[in-house]
């Protein structure tokens, strides 16, 4: 079975693992011994600092929330300032609604993730559900205004679960009350791009075939759910652009991740961009040995595209080529894959590109929306692109040229791949910003709640290749740290323009990857090895197994915290603060809330008053942090897992913070279908 690009399907075992840890914590506390001394948990990831006020933010910047990332730049910043560090503790639930998305869909409940972030347009909160229903709500009450159900099939198995992260908004010229004078665009699990009237939710009949365009894959699929759309489309001028999510590790000759652009009115195709350069005249093709670009797939854009309307550029976060863990059939850097690619939004022509991983063998896709920020340095503003990654590295580039704004250097990395592999001798590393999470793990670093447990982890680590970041996959087994779920993931980062501060949450969990030679024809190989995930990687000499690195008790062998929230000054590259994110409250027996961090799925938002709001963790809370220090100030209980990025806005004189609380079935958090709005008491 193929697996999925976003790399979040391996979090479920941690729920059991953390429950076991909670049990040990309970025994420790009842015995009068501090859990920290029993486990030896010194939070060496904590950094204490304070952000400096840099400048006054331009008036009007951060008003409203008109796009999935707050704005088309992906800022995730709001100038709403009614809720402050002084009064955030008074927040209460203003309204809570059930979308009803799970009703009548019990058979698909175990394959859902409610990851949506609503947008606020034309006095409506508009969002999509796990099953691609689009719903408009009143911003002050949550009352439903309209709903559109695209009737997606639920009897299949989508590459990335049943999920939808967001919708997009376009407003044309002309009469505001004319049908489809403004439109909501959304993608679906069955790969349709749909245009709806903003006021009524009715399909815009002139767009494509009765309101939708089917985005066709480049080749026949093994099953319908192998190819889907999960992220909000990008809109620049009168062009709507979408990427796709594709099941990976199934085969080498796989669907390619073509990006499609359409006319927002008619749905007519305008241009396409293939991150695997099959055009013989494309200069990037030189980084693909022989004709390997003709027989390699993926490098798709499954995450969110950013738009610089002033420059007419769109910024793509591309993923790894197929298959993820063997590249002997695609020797070379494989340019455009694992890259930030800037395109002319009108033509699809490449303006520049920057590769974060050469010749990827680790499933280290560019997972997050490129952040288009204005950084103040040396007394003037600089337009940059900040890219957070699964590796825990942060790259900051000049937006006009793609050249590093903060220095990047090529460093030698481990060599000696499996037979047939040709590794890149170097990889790019930021010079000034160290990794936000660890990427080395030695046996004496092993975590365990007992000596036996820790000893087992130490032995498991000793058995693996572990020469640091970019140690190649091996038949012996290789440590993957961070694992394929990050570091950072699709939740992306938020930016405080007044303090030059990038805020991002990252996972801090290790895994192992093992390659096994493909058996001769007629022979079979076990699909399960020590409970690990299996992928066939057809067309390569190897099959792949991978799994989180867990102890016999089911606990991560890598030391906590397993989730962190950090802030980086983009003018200097300095890590200003770094904090543990998440507790074991909804994982451990009796609700024991150990502050050791949990993996997270979702991202942060920042407000002008100096607050960071984030859900994302494996306990059911929305939290608020002080943006200057990272100190936790408040948390509000959610009815289900908050594996989504929140948003905030002012409406009717009141500021609201809204988050989807519907959980993530693969991560094992509580499933639901609620949208929850918090506000100060009236």
């Amino acid at each position: 079975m193929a697996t999925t690009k976003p790399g979040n399907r391996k979090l479920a075992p941690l729920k059991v693992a953390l429950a076991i840890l909670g049990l040990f914590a309970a025994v420790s506390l009842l015995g009068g011994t501090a859990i920290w001394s029993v486990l030896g948990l010194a939070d060496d990831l904590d950094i204490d600092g304070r952000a400096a006020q840099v400048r006054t933010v331009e008036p009007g910047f951060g008003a409203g929330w008109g796009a999935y990332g707050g704005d088309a730049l992906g800022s995730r910043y709001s100038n709403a300032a009614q809720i402050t560090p002084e009064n955030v503790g008074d927040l209460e639930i203003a309204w809570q609604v059930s979308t009803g998305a799970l009703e009548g869909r019990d058979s698909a409940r175990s394959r859902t993730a409610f990851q949506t972030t609503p947008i606020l347009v034309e006095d409506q909160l508009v969002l999509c559900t796990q099953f691609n229903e689009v719903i408009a709500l009143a911003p002050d009450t949550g009352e439903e205004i309209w709903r559109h159900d695209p009737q997606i099939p639920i009897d299949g198995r989508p590459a990335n679960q049943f999920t939808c992260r967001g919708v997009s908004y376009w407003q044309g010229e002309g009469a505001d009350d004319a049908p489809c004078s403004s439109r909501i665009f959304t993608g679906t699990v069955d790969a349709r791009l749909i245009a709806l009237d903003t006021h009524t939710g009715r399909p815009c009949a002139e767009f494509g075939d009765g309101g939708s365009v089917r985005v066709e894959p480049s080749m026949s699929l093994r099953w319908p759910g192998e190819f889907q759309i999960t992220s909000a489309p990008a809109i620049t001028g009168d062009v709507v652009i979408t990427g796709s999510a594709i099941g990976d590790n199934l085969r080498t000759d796989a669907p390619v991740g073509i990006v499609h652009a359409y006319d927002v009115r008619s749905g007519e195709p305008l241009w396409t961009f293939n991150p695997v350069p099959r055009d013989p005249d494309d200069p990037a093709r030189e980084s693909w040995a022989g004709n390997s670009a003709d027989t390699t797939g993926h490098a798709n854009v499954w995450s969110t595209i950013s738009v610089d309307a002033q420059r007419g550029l769109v910024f793509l976060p591309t993923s790894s080529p197929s298959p993820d863990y063997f590249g002997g059939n695609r020797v070379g850097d494989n340019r455009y894959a694992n890259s930030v690619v800037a395109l002319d939004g009108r033509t699809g022509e490449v303006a520049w590109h920057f590769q974060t991983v050469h010749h990827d063998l680790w499933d280290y896709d560019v997972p997050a929306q490129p952040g288009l920020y204005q950084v103040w340095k040396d007394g003037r503003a600089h337009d940059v692109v900040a890219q957070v990654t699964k590796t825990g590295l942060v790259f900051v580039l000049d937006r006009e040229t793609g050249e590093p704004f903060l220095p990047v250097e090529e460093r030698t990395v481990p060599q000696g791949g499996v037979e047939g592999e040709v590794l890149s001798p170097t990889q790019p590393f930021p010079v000034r910003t160290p990794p936000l999470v660890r990427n080395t793990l030695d046996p004496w670093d092993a975590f365990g709640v007992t000596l036996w447990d820790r000893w087992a982890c130490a032995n498991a680590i000793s058995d693996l290749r572990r020469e640091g970041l970019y140690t190649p996959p091996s038949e012996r087994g290789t440590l993957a740290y961070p694992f394929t779920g990050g570091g950072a993931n699709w939740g992306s980062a938020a930016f405080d323009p007044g303090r030059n501060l990038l805020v991002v949450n990252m996972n801090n969990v290790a895994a192992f990857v093992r390659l096994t030679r493909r058996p001769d024809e007629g022979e079979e190989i076990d699909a399960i090895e020590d409970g690990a995930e299996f992928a066939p990687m057809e067309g390569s000499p190897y099959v792949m197994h991978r799994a989180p690195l867990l102890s016999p008790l089911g606990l991560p062998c890598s030391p906590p915290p397993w989730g962190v929230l950090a802030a980086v000054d983009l003018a200097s590259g300095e890590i200003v603060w770094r904090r543990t994110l998440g507790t074991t409250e909804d994982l451990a027996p009796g609700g024991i809330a150990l502050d050791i961090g949990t993996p997270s799925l979702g991202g942060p938002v920042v407000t002008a008053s100096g607050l960071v709001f984030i859900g994302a963790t494996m306990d059911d809370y929305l939290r608020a942090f002080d943006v200057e220090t990272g100190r936790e100030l408040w948390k509000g209980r959610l009815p289900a897992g908050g594996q989504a990025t929140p948003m905030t806005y002012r409406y009717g004189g009141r500021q609201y913070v809204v988050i989807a609380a519907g959980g993530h079935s693969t991560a094992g958090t509580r499933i639901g279908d609620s949208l929850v709005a918090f506000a100060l008491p009236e």
Side-chain angles (χ1 to χ4, degrees):
M1 174 181 171
T3 56
T4 61
K5 281 292 175 190
N8 52 32
R9 57 218 168 263
K10 300 307 294 181
L11 296 180
L14 293 179
K15 183 169 185 178
V16 176
L18 292 170
I20 296 171
L21 178 60
L23 183 60
F24 274 85
V27 172
S28 169
L29 293 172
L30 287 173
T33 305
I35 185 65
W36 306 113
S37 60
V38 171
L39 302 182
L41 295 184
D43 191 358
D44 62 350
L45 287 184
D46 261 13
I47 291 178
D48 289 303
R50 178 176 289 273
Q53 183 72 32
V54 175
R55 67 182 183 104
T56 301
V57 179
E58 180 180 331
F61 184 78
W65 201 277
Y68 168 75
D71 52 32
L73 307 172
S75 301
R76 291 173 180 79
Y77 170 82
S78 172
N79 66 9
Q82 186 181 77
I83 304 170
T84 68
E86 291 72 32
N87 63 26
V88 67
D90 296 329
L91 283 180
E92 61 185 21
I93 293 178
W95 53 262
Q96 177 179 323
V97 298
S98 168
T99 67
L102 299 177
E103 295 177 8
R105 296 185 174 103
D106 289 344
S107 62
R109 184 185 182 98
S110 63
R111 292 165 288 158
T112 61
F114 196 20
Q115 299 174 337
T116 192
T117 299
I119 61 174
L120 177 65
V121 294
E122 300 191 26
D123 294 322
Q124 300 176 122
L125 272 186
V126 187
L127 66 142
C128 54
T129 73
Q130 301 94 311
F131 299 99
N132 298 120
E133 296 164 287
V134 181
I135 304 173
L137 305 175
D140 52 349
T141 65
E143 181 181 357
E144 184 172 313
I145 299 171
W146 56 257
R147 175 186 297 247
H148 172 78
D149 186 351
Q151 298 292 320
I152 64 167
I154 63 170
D155 55 353
R157 49 184 176 93
N160 182 35
Q161 301 179 303
F162 290 102
T163 193
C164 176
R165 296 194 183 101
V167 300
S168 300
Y169 171 74
W170 171 83
Q171 185 174 29
E173 298 177 355
D176 291 342
D177 57 352
C180 290
S181 59
S182 64
R183 303 181 178 196
I184 299 295
F185 285 91
T186 187
T188 66
V189 71
D190 57 353
R192 285 178 284 161
L193 181 64
I194 296 174
L196 305 174
D197 183 278
T198 303
H199 307 107
T200 66
R202 299 190 185 98
C204 298
E206 69 275 18
F207 183 83
D209 182 11
S212 70
V213 171
R214 187 167 293 278
V215 181
E216 297 292 346
S218 63
M219 62 189 299
S220 297
L221 302 178
R222 293 292 181 85
W223 79 97
E226 187 183 5
F227 182 89
Q228 66 182 118
I229 301 172
T230 55
S231 295
I235 296 177
T236 177
D238 292 339
V239 182
V240 56
I241 306 164
T242 185
S244 59
I246 308 173
D248 61 353
N249 288 313
L250 172 62
R251 46 184 168 157
T252 298
D253 187 9
V256 288
I258 296 174
V259 176
H260 294 262
Y262 302 92
D263 183 279
V264 294
R265 294 180 176 85
S266 67
E268 288 295 316
L270 296 178
W271 53 259
T272 60
F273 170 73
N274 189 348
V276 180
R278 294 190 169 176
D279 182 351
D281 296 326
D282 193 320
R285 192 176 172 91
E286 295 179 358
S287 66
W288 299 72
N291 295 320
S292 60
D294 296 330
T295 57
T296 302
H298 302 326
N300 51 306
V301 178
W302 57 262
S303 192
T304 304
I305 299 169
S306 301
V307 176
D308 183 335
Q310 183 177 354
R311 289 177 171 84
L313 296 178
V314 296
F315 296 82
L316 314 179
T318 65
S319 64
S320 53
S322 63
D324 287 344
Y325 292 95
F326 180 77
N329 298 334
R330 50 174 172 87
V331 174
D333 280 355
N334 308 141
R335 296 297 169 94
Y336 296 150
N338 302 88
S339 298
V340 180
V341 183
L343 303 180
D344 186 311
R346 298 163 300 176
T347 66
E349 295 295 318
V350 176
W352 57 259
H353 58 97
F354 177 89
Q355 191 169 54
T356 63
V357 180
H358 308 320
H359 191 71
D360 184 20
L361 303 176
W362 305 272
D363 194 11
Y364 282 153
D365 306 336
V366 179
Q369 182 178 17
L372 310 184
Y373 311 137
Q374 191 173 79
V375 173
W376 279 80
K377 184 178 181 181
D378 300 327
R380 65 187 185 92
H382 302 262
D383 289 346
V384 304
V385 181
Q387 186 63 62
V388 297
T389 66
K390 287 185 179 183
T391 58
L393 305 177
V394 179
F395 296 92
V396 187
L397 313 171
D398 182 276
R399 202 186 310 173
E400 189 74 37
T401 66
E403 294 297 316
F405 173 74
L406 294 180
V408 174
E409 65 183 12
E410 292 286 330
R411 298 176 186 168
T412 57
V413 292
Q415 299 294 293
V418 294
E419 183 179 351
E421 186 60 81
V422 181
L423 298 162
S424 173
T426 64
Q427 293 289 352
F429 286 82
V431 174
R432 295 184 183 170
T433 307
L436 297 189
V437 290
R438 296 178 59 165
N439 55 35
T440 60
L441 185 63
D442 292 310
W444 51 84
D445 295 324
F447 173 77
V449 295
T450 67
L451 289 178
W452 166 72
D453 202 37
R454 187 173 185 180
W455 175 81
C457 275
N459 277 348
I461 295 168
S462 295
D463 289 341
L464 299 173
R465 285 197 64 178
R466 56 181 196 286
E467 296 145 48
L469 195 60
Y470 302 119
T471 302
S474 62
E475 293 183 78
R476 170 184 169 184
T478 293
L479 179 73
Y481 194 34
F483 81 141
T484 185
N489 213 287
W490 55 263
S492 307
F495 183 64
D496 184 333
R499 298 175 176 86
N500 278 345
L501 210 58
L502 181 78
V503 181
V504 60
N505 56 304
M506 291 198 174
N507 298 321
N508 187 40
V509 177
F512 74 85
V513 175
R514 181 174 292 110
L515 301 184
T516 304
R517 290 184 179 273
R518 185 174 303 282
D520 295 333
E521 187 173 352
E523 296 183 8
E524 295 184 356
I525 187 169
D526 291 337
I528 300 296
E529 178 182 289
D530 298 327
E533 174 189 1
F534 166 81
M537 300 203 304
E538 297 169 7
S540 81
Y542 300 91
V543 299
M544 181 272 288
H545 298 82
R546 66 180 175 184
L549 191 60
L550 304 178
S551 75
L553 291 176
L555 293 165
C557 287
S558 50
W562 296 310
V564 301
L565 184 69
V568 177
D569 185 328
L570 291 190
S572 66
E574 175 190 4
I575 300 175
V576 177
W577 54 258
R578 185 164 48 187
R579 294 284 181 264
T580 300
L581 179 64
T583 74
T584 61
E585 179 172 343
D586 290 301
L587 306 170
I592 297 171
L594 299 179
D595 185 21
I596 57 174
T598 72
S600 60
L601 291 168
V605 303
V606 176
T607 71
S609 64
L611 291 171
V612 177
F613 288 100
I614 185 169
T617 58
M618 295 178 73
D619 54 0
D620 299 340
Y621 282 102
L622 175 69
R623 289 179 165 85
F625 294 84
D626 186 319
V627 74
E628 291 193 350
T629 66
R631 184 168 61 92
E632 184 177 319
L633 302 176
W634 168 87
K635 61 182 180 181
R637 191 68 171 159
L638 300 174
Q643 279 68 58
T645 301
M647 52 89 72
T648 185
Y649 57 91
R650 288 198 66 172
Y651 189 83
R654 197 178 188 195
Q655 183 181 352
Y656 299 84
V657 183
V658 176
I659 188 169
H664 193 293
S665 57
T666 306
T669 52
R670 196 190 319 269
I671 298 300
D673 61 4
S674 295
L675 198 71
V676 184
F678 292 89
L680 296 173
E682 289 188 284

